[in-house]
Amino acid sequence: MFVDFGTAIFAMYLFLIGDSSALSNWTYKDNPSLVILIVLFSLLVVVYLMNLLIGLLNNAIEKDNNKASYLVQKAEILAEIELLYLLPHQRRWHEWFPEV
């Protein structure tokens, strides 16, 4: 594999993706279609898995945004209750509204 420059680059590519078959005596120069299929498969699998990861992260971020929007809406409702429905002396009760 390391006699020719093209096969040496392909052998290094195989080592990078974790395939140790580049150390065998089988030459990839005799089967260029197999080389093309191996490279295309490995690149397409990487693209597919990255898209899957992005989709999963998008769902996680969306769930987090839903929780944040829920908390903002809850804070707005509590502020409206405090301003409009409580009497002034009720707003000063430390049991209901602690300093923290």
Side-chain angles (χ1 to χ4, degrees):
M1 287 291 290
F2 294 98
V3 175
D4 188 25
F5 182 71
T7 57
I9 289 177
F10 184 65
M12 292 307 299
Y13 177 76
L14 289 176
F15 284 137
L16 287 175
I17 62 172
D19 188 8
S20 62
S21 66
L23 297 175
S24 66
N25 291 331
W26 187 68
T27 59
Y28 289 99
K29 201 170 196 176
D30 297 335
N31 298 319
S33 60
L34 185 62
V35 171
I36 291 171
L37 287 175
I38 289 172
V39 171
L40 283 177
F41 177 76
S42 64
L43 291 177
L44 291 175
V45 165
V46 168
V47 169
Y48 176 75
L49 289 177
M50 287 301 293
N51 282 334
L52 184 67
L53 178 68
I54 289 170
L56 291 174
L57 287 176
N58 188 19
N59 288 341
I61 290 171
E62 186 176 314
K63 285 181 184 176
D64 189 41
N65 285 343
N66 286 343
K67 177 130 174 113
S69 64
Y70 164 74
L71 291 175
V72 167
Q73 185 177 8
K74 184 177 176 181
E76 289 173 356
I77 291 171
L78 287 174
E80 183 179 342
I81 289 172
E82 289 176 9
L83 289 176
L84 300 176
Y85 296 111
L86 294 179
L87 298 173
H89 73 280
Q90 288 177 328
R91 289 185 212 144
R92 290 187 291 254
W93 287 352
H94 291 290
E95 292 83 25
W96 285 9
F97 305 108
E99 294 296 324
V100 179

